[in-house]
Amino acid sequence: MFRIDQPILVDTEDPEYYAELLSKTHRPPNWRLLSNETLCSGIPGIQDVDDPLSQRIRTLLDVVADISLCKRGNVSATMACIKANKDALETQIYITFNHKDDGAARNCLVHLQSIFDILSRVPYRSHGVDSSPKDISSELEGSLFEICRTIHNYSFDIFAYRVNKRKHKLSDIRRYIEQDEHQFNSRQRSKLLGFLSHVGFIIKVVANAQTTKQLSSNFICGLVKTYSFWKKNSLLPKEGLADNAVTLLDHVDAWLADTHGIGFRLRRWAVKIMSFVISADRLFTLTQSRRLRKFLDGTFVIKPLPCPATTPYRCNLSSENIRVALDAALHQTKYSTAEWDEERESFTVLLRDKLEDSEACRKPTVHAELVMITALFKGELQEVLPYIGVSKLSCMMCIHYIQALNEVTGKRIAVKGSHRKAYPGWSWPSLPSHDREVRRALLQLNRQQLWSDFNLHVESRRGSNSSMGYGVPGFETVATEDDIRAIFSLELGRPVDALRLYV
């Protein structure tokens, strides 16, 4: 087993996230339940989708969705029902997939159960008054690595895709950084070149593991250490998914885009590479929180929901149909006059050029988030937290549908966010009691989106906001540098002076 001389840093949590799970708390004045029934019956501390403890459960739901997939091209969604029973918790996680015949749907139950079995066996170690697990003691490191390895090996294809997606840019970026004389000081340049070396090692190991699709304990240890090293050296924020923290990689991304025309983001790539490490880290937090540990000490059941069957349809996205939709969206605005004919036509051409086929027969899919909503309104889900965890940010149509449903019904169903893409194969879910009203509200939201996108297009063409770089929305552990190099060198089969890492 590896010896780690310094503790592995994990993401810290605000102390209020650890509010008593079963204690009595006051309801906020504007709270709203998903239904007339008591949300999360028996746990007054979980009242609203924005309640601090609910936010921690939201993170858990997103993590469960993310680690449930074994290959690319699928999406999963989760909702949770949590009840108290004689000071223990009964947690029911509902999960569904975009494609009912996908291997992930068949195999995920055993996989997820194995993860939570490992978590339940991890002993709790007191971390002080607020029970905030800022450090992982050396005696618990093996459990973290085991959880991390189990997740990576189950989802090896996804991990490999995330690692390899931008590898062809590495040599150019390294050359630009090495040749730079003004943008970065020597310490920053050293950090960045070390970061690129780490990524290069990871790429090589993943390539070597393509046959077996299994990653070694050595590599997982190195991966966790690398993640902590990146955080310690401000390459990633202390909370790996924090969008409001500016890091060294953010400065590099801006420089590469402005100076060398490289538009992808190194920071985003780094987070993608470490996404399963972040998931394992967050799950491990459950084991070392005095109050959140109740999730693991109680019962934990995963229940899959079937994806409804759909009927193929023909989708006509011709220029004429796009023009009709755009004119409807711009009706009674300044853009609907003859003065703006050229801009409307250029926008229509721009959208049309982004489409692969103007008229094609599609086999539609009810997206996973909307399968959850359908089951909810049919009474198949009871007393769930009104939050849908997702393995991938929701598409534009799902976001608009959920917003329309909330407006019509007065509910407050939430998801993590949207990647703003739209898919011709998106299917309307069947909610007979609300279809007519929701359809009207959804159409209005879609028209508002089209108006907004057109407005950006006009600003770009007329140069009023040329710096924005217009794109078409809707389409598209602490270780030293030597420690990390030694671990990866062992993995790649090269002899190094790294035997001191073993106990």
Side-chain angles (χ1 to χ4, degrees):
M1 180 180 178
F2 289 112
R3 184 179 75 246
I4 302 176
D5 297 329
Q6 302 179 61
I8 301 174
L9 296 183
V10 300
D11 294 339
T12 59
E13 301 271 354
D14 189 285
E16 69 176 345
Y17 277 51
Y18 300 93
E20 279 288 352
L21 211 59
L22 301 178
S23 66
K24 293 182 179 180
T25 59
H26 295 289
R27 295 173 176 175
N30 60 345
W31 77 296
R32 287 189 292 174
L33 289 179
L34 186 62
S35 67
N36 292 328
E37 297 174 327
T38 302
L39 176 64
C40 299
S41 174
I43 308 182
I46 305 176
Q47 303 160 337
D48 198 310
V49 73
D50 291 328
D51 177 81
L53 183 57
S54 296
Q55 291 177 17
R56 190 65 189 90
I57 300 172
R58 289 165 61 173
T59 298
L60 173 63
L61 290 176
D62 285 324
V63 168
V64 170
D66 186 45
I67 67 173
S68 68
L69 302 179
C70 65
K71 67 178 183 179
R72 287 185 58 217
N74 204 353
V75 176
S76 69
T78 60
M79 292 188 84
C81 171
I82 304 167
K83 297 181 180 180
N85 182 12
K86 296 181 180 179
D87 293 331
L89 288 184
E90 297 177 0
T91 305
Q92 175 85 62
I93 299 287
Y94 299 96
I95 187 167
T96 189
F97 296 85
N98 275 4
H99 305 289
K100 63 181 180 180
D101 58 345
D102 193 279
R106 294 191 300 269
N107 302 326
C108 78
L109 300 186
V110 175
H111 167 63
L112 292 175
Q113 194 60 59
S114 69
I115 293 293
F116 281 92
D117 286 345
I118 296 172
L119 292 171
S120 65
R121 294 195 299 267
V122 177
Y124 168 73
R125 297 290 182 265
S126 177
H127 292 272
V129 176
D130 66 354
S131 296
S132 182
K134 296 182 177 62
D135 300 332
I136 297 178
S137 60
S138 59
E139 61 192 299
L140 300 180
E141 291 158 4
S143 297
L144 174 62
F145 298 152
E146 183 183 4
I147 294 167
C148 199
R149 186 185 182 196
T150 302
I151 295 172
H152 279 80
N153 286 344
Y154 178 77
S155 303
F156 178 86
D157 288 341
I158 299 175
F159 176 62
Y161 171 75
R162 293 173 180 175
V163 166
N164 291 317
K165 188 173 184 180
R166 302 295 186 183
K167 66 179 182 181
H168 59 285
K169 297 286 188 179
L170 273 181
S171 59
D172 288 341
I173 293 174
R174 174 178 287 278
R175 185 174 71 255
Y176 295 147
I177 293 175
E178 288 175 338
Q179 294 174 353
D180 167 72
E181 297 180 355
H182 307 289
Q183 186 68 27
F184 308 106
N185 59 40
S186 58
R187 184 176 181 182
Q188 291 172 327
R189 187 177 294 105
S190 176
K191 287 182 181 180
L192 293 172
L193 294 177
F195 165 79
L196 295 177
S197 295
H198 299 163
V199 174
F201 278 128
I202 294 170
I203 291 172
K204 290 178 182 178
V205 171
V206 168
N208 291 342
Q210 285 290 349
T211 301
T212 62
K213 299 185 185 300
Q214 295 292 301
L215 297 167
S216 71
S217 298
N218 282 347
F219 173 72
I220 294 300
C221 177
L223 198 64
V224 176
K225 285 173 174 285
T226 301
Y227 175 54
S228 286
F229 184 86
W230 290 357
K231 290 195 297 181
K232 181 184 178 184
N233 287 273
S234 302
L235 292 160
L236 287 178
K238 290 182 179 180
E239 212 296 349
L241 301 179
D243 293 329
N244 59 350
V246 178
T247 70
L248 180 57
L249 289 184
D250 289 307
H251 294 299
V252 176
D253 289 340
W255 173 68
L256 288 173
D258 295 341
T259 307
H260 301 286
I262 295 179
F264 86 88
R265 292 181 294 168
L266 277 176
R267 170 174 167 172
R268 178 177 173 83
W269 191 26
V271 170
K272 286 286 188 180
I273 291 173
M274 293 298 176
S275 56
F276 289 135
V277 174
I278 295 171
S279 293
D281 183 28
R282 289 182 160 190
L283 288 174
F284 199 87
T285 299
L286 291 175
T287 72
Q288 300 306 297
S289 167
R290 178 170 59 86
R291 299 173 179 92
L292 293 179
R293 175 95 191 186
K294 293 178 182 290
F295 285 111
L296 302 177
D297 293 338
T299 60
F300 203 97
V301 180
I302 310 289
K303 181 178 180 179
L305 299 177
C307 185
T310 57
T311 303
Y313 68 92
R314 188 164 295 279
C315 180
N316 189 340
L317 296 173
S318 64
S319 296
E320 180 60 29
N321 283 352
I322 293 174
R323 191 175 294 109
V324 169
L326 179 61
D327 288 346
L330 300 180
H331 181 59
Q332 293 185 338
T333 72
K334 64 178 181 179
Y335 299 126
S336 62
T337 64
E339 177 187 356
W340 299 90
D341 281 349
E342 183 180 347
E343 280 75 8
R344 293 204 303 273
E345 182 60 29
S346 67
F347 185 66
T348 299
V349 171
L350 183 64
L351 291 184
R352 180 65 196 86
D353 289 345
K354 294 290 183 180
L355 301 173
E356 298 176 358
D357 191 357
S358 63
E359 187 172 0
C361 187
R362 310 281 180 177
K363 183 178 181 181
T365 300
V366 177
H367 288 188
E369 305 95 308
L370 304 190
V371 174
M372 285 291 174
I373 288 177
T374 301
L376 187 65
F377 277 83
K378 288 183 177 180
E380 297 171 5
L381 309 185
Q382 299 292 329
E383 301 177 320
V384 292
L385 183 79
Y387 179 79
I388 302 175
V390 289
S391 59
K392 182 180 182 180
L393 293 177
S394 300
C395 76
M396 183 182 295
M397 292 300 292
C398 284
I399 287 291
H400 285 177
Y401 182 90
I402 294 171
Q403 183 177 346
L405 183 71
N406 287 344
E407 291 177 1
V408 168
T409 64
K411 308 302 181 185
R412 200 180 175 200
I413 301 171
V415 291
K416 183 164 57 175
S418 174
H419 53 59
R420 305 195 69 219
K421 295 180 182 178
Y423 302 99
W426 184 87
S427 182
W428 180 271
S430 178
L431 295 177
S433 60
H434 298 91
D435 275 350
R436 185 174 182 178
E437 296 84 356
V438 173
R439 190 181 298 270
R440 187 182 300 115
L442 178 64
L443 180 60
Q444 181 61 28
L445 289 171
N446 287 343
R447 286 176 174 170
Q448 290 174 4
Q449 183 70 57
L450 196 57
W451 180 92
S452 175
D453 292 350
F454 177 77
N455 190 47
L456 289 175
H457 174 69
V458 170
E459 290 179 352
S460 177
R461 275 175 58 87
R462 301 207 165 192
S464 61
N465 198 7
S466 58
S467 63
M468 123 185 308
Y470 175 73
V472 183
F475 285 91
E476 296 198 77
T477 112
V478 175
T480 66
E481 182 75 30
D482 289 340
D483 288 339
I484 295 171
R485 186 179 296 110
I487 293 173
F488 285 134
S489 297
L490 282 174
E491 180 65 32
L492 294 173
R494 289 194 294 270
V496 294
D497 295 330
L499 295 180
R500 63 186 178 83
L501 292 174
Y502 289 98
V503 178

